[in-house]
Amino acid sequence: DGGITQSPKYLFRKEGQNVTLSCEQNLNHDAMYWYRQDPGQGLRLIYYSQIVNDFQKGDIAEGYSVSREKKESFPLTVTSAQKNPTAFYLCASSSSGTMNPEQFFGPGTRLTVL
Amino acid sequence: LAKTTQPISMDSYEGQEVNITCSHNNIATNDYITWYQQFPSQGPRFIIQGYKTKVTNEVASLFIPADRKSSTLSLPRVSLSDTAVYYCLVGDPISGNTGKLIFGQGTTLQVKP
Protein backbone atom coordinates (compact mmCIF):
# COMPACT_ATOMS: atom_id res chain seq x y z
CA ASP A 1 0.00 0.00 0.00
CA GLY A 2 1.23 3.47 -0.83
CA GLY A 3 1.12 6.08 1.86
CA ILE A 4 2.81 8.03 4.62
CA THR A 5 3.84 6.57 7.93
CA GLN A 6 4.77 8.41 11.07
CA SER A 7 6.31 6.97 14.19
CA PRO A 8 5.86 6.79 17.02
CA LYS A 9 2.13 7.47 17.45
CA TYR A 10 2.66 8.75 20.99
CA LEU A 11 5.88 10.21 22.36
CA PHE A 12 6.78 11.47 25.79
CA ARG A 13 9.76 13.67 26.45
CA LYS A 14 11.35 15.21 29.46
CA GLU A 15 12.09 18.91 29.41
CA GLY A 16 15.51 19.67 27.97
CA GLN A 17 15.64 16.59 25.74
CA ASN A 18 15.77 16.55 21.98
CA VAL A 19 13.45 14.11 20.24
CA THR A 20 13.13 13.02 16.60
CA LEU A 21 9.85 12.24 14.86
CA SER A 22 9.95 9.92 11.88
CA CYS A 23 8.11 10.43 8.58
CA GLU A 24 8.39 8.06 5.63
CA GLN A 25 6.50 8.02 2.32
CA ASN A 26 6.45 5.56 -0.57
CA LEU A 27 4.37 7.72 -2.89
CA ASN A 28 7.40 8.91 -4.84
CA HIS A 29 6.54 12.48 -3.90
CA ASP A 30 9.16 15.20 -4.19
CA ALA A 31 7.68 17.55 -1.59
CA MET A 32 7.27 16.87 2.11
CA TYR A 33 5.95 18.99 4.96
CA TRP A 34 5.77 19.13 8.75
CA TYR A 35 2.84 20.75 10.54
CA ARG A 36 2.03 21.33 14.17
CA GLN A 37 -1.53 21.32 15.50
CA ASP A 38 -2.59 22.55 18.94
CA PRO A 39 -5.97 21.67 20.47
CA GLY A 40 -8.86 23.36 18.66
CA GLN A 41 -6.54 25.03 16.20
CA GLY A 42 -5.64 24.63 12.57
CA LEU A 43 -2.33 23.36 11.25
CA ARG A 44 0.78 25.52 11.25
CA LEU A 45 3.67 24.85 8.91
CA ILE A 46 7.04 24.12 10.56
CA TYR A 47 9.30 23.13 7.66
CA TYR A 48 8.88 21.96 4.09
CA SER A 49 11.11 20.39 1.48
CA GLN A 50 10.59 20.44 -2.27
CA ILE A 51 13.50 18.20 -3.15
CA VAL A 52 16.18 16.04 -1.58
CA ASN A 53 18.90 17.94 0.29
CA ASP A 54 16.86 21.13 0.33
CA PHE A 55 14.32 22.49 2.83
CA GLN A 56 12.84 25.81 3.92
CA LYS A 57 11.46 27.22 7.14
CA GLY A 58 7.74 27.52 7.52
CA ASP A 59 5.87 29.85 9.84
CA ILE A 60 7.02 28.38 13.18
CA ALA A 61 10.45 26.85 12.59
CA GLU A 62 12.13 28.09 15.77
CA GLY A 63 13.14 25.21 18.02
CA TYR A 64 12.84 22.61 15.25
CA SER A 65 15.25 21.10 12.74
CA VAL A 66 14.85 18.77 9.76
CA SER A 67 16.90 16.86 7.21
CA ARG A 68 16.06 15.50 3.77
CA GLU A 69 18.81 13.06 2.84
CA LYS A 70 16.46 10.67 1.07
CA LYS A 71 13.36 11.29 -1.01
CA GLU A 72 11.33 8.94 1.15
CA SER A 73 12.25 10.38 4.54
CA PHE A 74 11.82 13.75 6.26
CA PRO A 75 12.55 13.45 10.01
CA LEU A 76 11.74 16.30 12.38
CA THR A 77 13.78 16.99 15.50
CA VAL A 78 12.15 18.90 18.31
CA THR A 79 14.99 20.53 20.22
CA SER A 80 15.18 21.77 23.77
CA ALA A 81 14.94 25.31 22.35
CA GLN A 82 11.26 24.72 21.53
CA LYS A 83 9.57 26.20 24.61
CA ASN A 84 6.15 24.61 24.21
CA PRO A 85 6.55 21.40 22.21
CA THR A 86 3.47 19.52 23.44
CA ALA A 87 1.28 19.19 20.33
CA PHE A 88 0.06 16.92 17.54
CA TYR A 89 2.60 16.72 14.71
CA LEU A 90 1.56 15.89 11.16
CA CYS A 91 3.73 15.04 8.20
CA ALA A 92 2.49 15.38 4.62
CA SER A 93 3.78 14.91 1.09
CA SER A 94 2.76 16.01 -2.37
CA SER A 95 3.87 15.67 -5.95
CA SER A 96 5.52 18.57 -7.70
CA GLY A 97 4.97 19.91 -11.15
CA THR A 98 1.42 21.17 -10.70
CA MET A 99 0.11 24.24 -8.95
CA ASN A 100 -1.37 23.60 -5.51
CA PRO A 101 -1.15 19.84 -5.54
CA GLU A 102 -3.06 17.67 -3.10
CA GLN A 103 -1.20 16.93 0.12
CA PHE A 104 -1.34 13.46 1.64
CA PHE A 105 -1.08 13.33 5.42
CA GLY A 106 0.29 10.74 7.79
CA PRO A 107 -1.53 9.59 10.96
CA GLY A 108 0.35 12.01 13.20
CA THR A 109 2.54 11.84 16.30
CA ARG A 110 1.28 13.19 19.60
CA LEU A 111 4.18 14.61 21.60
CA THR A 112 3.83 15.30 25.30
CA VAL A 113 6.49 16.99 27.40
CA LEU A 114 6.51 15.82 30.98
CA LEU B 1 -0.71 35.75 1.75
CA ALA B 2 -4.26 34.75 0.91
CA LYS B 3 -6.37 34.37 4.05
CA THR B 4 -9.62 32.52 4.43
CA THR B 5 -12.60 33.10 6.70
CA GLN B 6 -15.15 30.41 7.43
CA PRO B 7 -17.70 29.78 10.21
CA ILE B 8 -16.27 28.25 13.36
CA SER B 9 -19.04 25.68 13.67
CA MET B 10 -22.21 24.36 12.05
CA ASP B 11 -24.88 21.87 13.06
CA SER B 12 -26.92 19.66 10.77
CA TYR B 13 -29.07 16.54 10.81
CA GLU B 14 -28.60 13.27 9.02
CA GLY B 15 -29.85 13.31 5.44
CA GLN B 16 -29.63 17.08 5.02
CA GLU B 17 -27.46 18.94 2.55
CA VAL B 18 -24.77 21.05 4.20
CA ASN B 19 -23.21 24.12 2.63
CA ILE B 20 -20.07 25.65 4.16
CA THR B 21 -19.02 28.99 2.73
CA CYS B 22 -15.49 30.34 2.82
CA SER B 23 -14.36 33.90 2.08
CA HIS B 24 -11.00 34.57 0.44
CA ASN B 25 -11.04 38.19 -0.69
CA ASN B 26 -7.31 38.35 -1.47
CA ILE B 27 -7.13 35.27 -3.65
CA ALA B 28 -4.41 35.52 -6.31
CA THR B 29 -4.86 34.79 -9.98
CA ASN B 30 -3.04 31.46 -9.88
CA ASP B 31 -4.48 30.22 -6.58
CA TYR B 32 -6.69 27.15 -6.39
CA ILE B 33 -9.25 26.56 -3.65
CA THR B 34 -8.94 23.30 -1.77
CA TRP B 35 -11.03 21.73 0.97
CA TYR B 36 -9.82 19.18 3.50
CA GLN B 37 -11.63 17.10 6.13
CA GLN B 38 -10.12 16.17 9.47
CA PHE B 39 -11.34 13.71 12.08
CA PRO B 40 -10.01 13.91 15.67
CA SER B 41 -6.42 12.70 16.09
CA GLN B 42 -6.03 12.06 12.36
CA GLY B 43 -4.36 13.88 9.52
CA PRO B 44 -6.53 15.95 7.16
CA ARG B 45 -7.89 14.29 4.05
CA PHE B 46 -8.34 15.98 0.69
CA ILE B 47 -11.98 16.42 -0.35
CA ILE B 48 -12.11 18.60 -3.43
CA GLN B 49 -10.24 21.30 -5.32
CA GLY B 50 -11.31 23.87 -7.88
CA TYR B 51 -10.37 27.06 -9.67
CA LYS B 52 -13.67 28.47 -10.90
CA THR B 53 -17.34 27.63 -11.51
CA LYS B 54 -18.36 24.22 -10.22
CA VAL B 55 -16.51 21.03 -9.44
CA THR B 56 -18.17 17.79 -8.37
CA ASN B 57 -16.81 14.46 -7.25
CA GLU B 58 -18.23 11.43 -5.48
CA VAL B 59 -18.01 13.13 -2.09
CA ALA B 60 -18.87 16.79 -2.52
CA SER B 61 -19.42 19.75 -4.82
CA LEU B 62 -17.53 23.02 -4.83
CA PHE B 63 -19.16 26.21 -6.08
CA ILE B 64 -16.95 29.18 -6.97
CA PRO B 65 -18.46 32.46 -8.23
CA ALA B 66 -16.92 34.43 -11.05
CA ASP B 67 -15.04 36.85 -8.76
CA ARG B 68 -13.53 33.89 -6.86
CA LYS B 69 -13.67 35.82 -3.58
CA SER B 70 -15.62 33.05 -1.91
CA SER B 71 -16.41 29.39 -2.35
CA THR B 72 -19.02 26.97 -1.01
CA LEU B 73 -18.47 23.34 -0.14
CA SER B 74 -21.67 21.33 -0.50
CA LEU B 75 -22.05 17.95 1.19
CA PRO B 76 -25.17 16.10 0.02
CA ARG B 77 -27.19 14.05 2.47
CA VAL B 78 -24.74 14.07 5.37
CA SER B 79 -24.44 11.20 7.81
CA LEU B 80 -23.10 10.99 11.35
CA SER B 81 -19.71 9.99 9.95
CA ASP B 82 -19.41 13.39 8.26
CA THR B 83 -18.94 15.00 11.69
CA ALA B 84 -15.49 16.53 11.35
CA VAL B 85 -13.55 19.75 10.89
CA TYR B 86 -13.55 21.14 7.35
CA TYR B 87 -10.75 23.42 6.18
CA CYS B 88 -10.90 25.82 3.27
CA LEU B 89 -7.47 26.61 1.88
CA VAL B 90 -6.24 28.90 -0.83
CA GLY B 91 -2.96 27.82 -2.33
CA ASP B 92 0.02 30.03 -1.75
CA PRO B 93 2.47 28.99 -4.42
CA ILE B 94 6.10 29.42 -3.57
CA SER B 95 8.99 29.38 -5.95
CA GLY B 96 8.73 26.24 -7.93
CA ASN B 97 5.42 24.43 -8.30
CA THR B 98 4.75 23.10 -4.83
CA GLY B 99 1.89 24.74 -3.00
CA LYS B 100 2.29 26.03 0.55
CA LEU B 101 -1.10 25.66 2.12
CA ILE B 102 -2.35 27.92 4.90
CA PHE B 103 -4.71 26.17 7.30
CA GLY B 104 -7.10 28.29 9.34
CA GLN B 105 -9.23 27.12 12.26
CA GLY B 106 -11.68 25.35 10.00
CA THR B 107 -15.40 24.72 10.43
CA THR B 108 -16.48 22.08 12.93
CA LEU B 109 -19.51 20.31 11.48
CA GLN B 110 -21.67 18.40 13.94
CA VAL B 111 -24.19 16.02 12.35
CA LYS B 112 -27.01 14.98 14.65
CA PRO B 113 -29.28 11.93 14.30
Side-chain angles (χ1 to χ4, degrees):
Chain A
D1 287 334
I4 302 180
T5 57
Q6 291 184 242
S7 61
K9 188 173 179 63
Y10 298 96
L11 187 58
F12 298 90
R13 188 194 92 174
K14 293 182 180 180
E15 281 193 36
Q17 287 183 335
N18 292 355
V19 64
T20 298
L21 282 59
S22 170
C23 178
E24 304 278 333
Q25 55 98 1
N26 61 3
L27 299 168
N28 200 34
H29 285 164
D30 288 314
M32 296 188 74
Y33 313 79
W34 273 106
Y35 293 90
R36 168 184 172 138
Q37 186 172 36
D38 293 288
Q41 303 298 313
L43 283 68
R44 291 185 290 169
L45 184 64
I46 305 173
Y47 268 98
Y48 59 97
S49 168
Q50 294 177 269
I51 197 169
V52 174
N53 293 322
D54 186 48
F55 49 83
Q56 289 81 39
K57 293 182 179 180
D59 301 319
I60 55 165
E62 185 176 352
Y64 299 98
S65 66
V66 294
S67 63
R68 187 82 187 279
E69 298 176 2
K70 298 187 300 181
K71 187 176 184 178
E72 301 80 20
S73 178
F74 191 40
L76 173 74
T77 297
V78 184
T79 73
S80 57
Q82 171 50 236
K83 298 306 178 186
N84 186 22
T86 295
F88 187 48
Y89 290 88
L90 287 158
C91 178
S93 70
S94 67
S95 61
S96 60
T98 57
M99 194 69 71
N100 301 299
E102 173 185 349
Q103 290 192 9
F104 293 82
F105 285 81
T109 293
R110 190 168 298 279
L111 173 64
T112 302
V113 174
L114 303 173
Chain B
L1 296 176
K3 179 181 175 181
T4 61
T5 303
Q6 51 184 124
I8 296 295
S9 64
M10 294 182 69
D11 289 339
S12 182
Y13 291 92
E14 280 191 290
Q16 288 187 334
E17 177 184 75
V18 171
N19 295 310
I20 306 175
T21 297
C22 178
S23 298
H24 27 79
N25 292 319
N26 297 325
I27 189 169
T29 303
N30 292 333
D31 286 345
Y32 279 69
I33 300 153
T34 309
W35 285 81
Y36 282 78
Q37 176 192 55
Q38 186 181 26
F39 297 111
S41 298
Q42 294 185 24
R45 183 175 68 104
F46 172 90
I47 300 175
I48 197 165
Q49 184 180 80
Y51 184 81
K52 61 180 179 180
T53 63
K54 176 183 175 182
V55 180
T56 298
N57 62 23
E58 64 278 6
V59 178
S61 294
L62 179 60
F63 299 91
I64 305 169
D67 66 6
R68 303 198 332 118
K69 293 185 183 296
S70 67
S71 59
T72 299
L73 174 72
S74 181
L75 304 172
R77 297 181 299 282
V78 295
S79 64
L80 296 176
S81 63
D82 292 316
T83 293
V85 179
Y86 292 83
Y87 294 99
C88 164
L89 299 97
V90 174
D92 178 24
I94 54 177
S95 59
N97 291 326
T98 302
K100 175 184 172 184
L101 301 180
I102 310 296
F103 284 82
Q105 281 192 298
T107 297
T108 299
L109 173 64
Q110 179 71 51
V111 180
K112 302 175 182 179

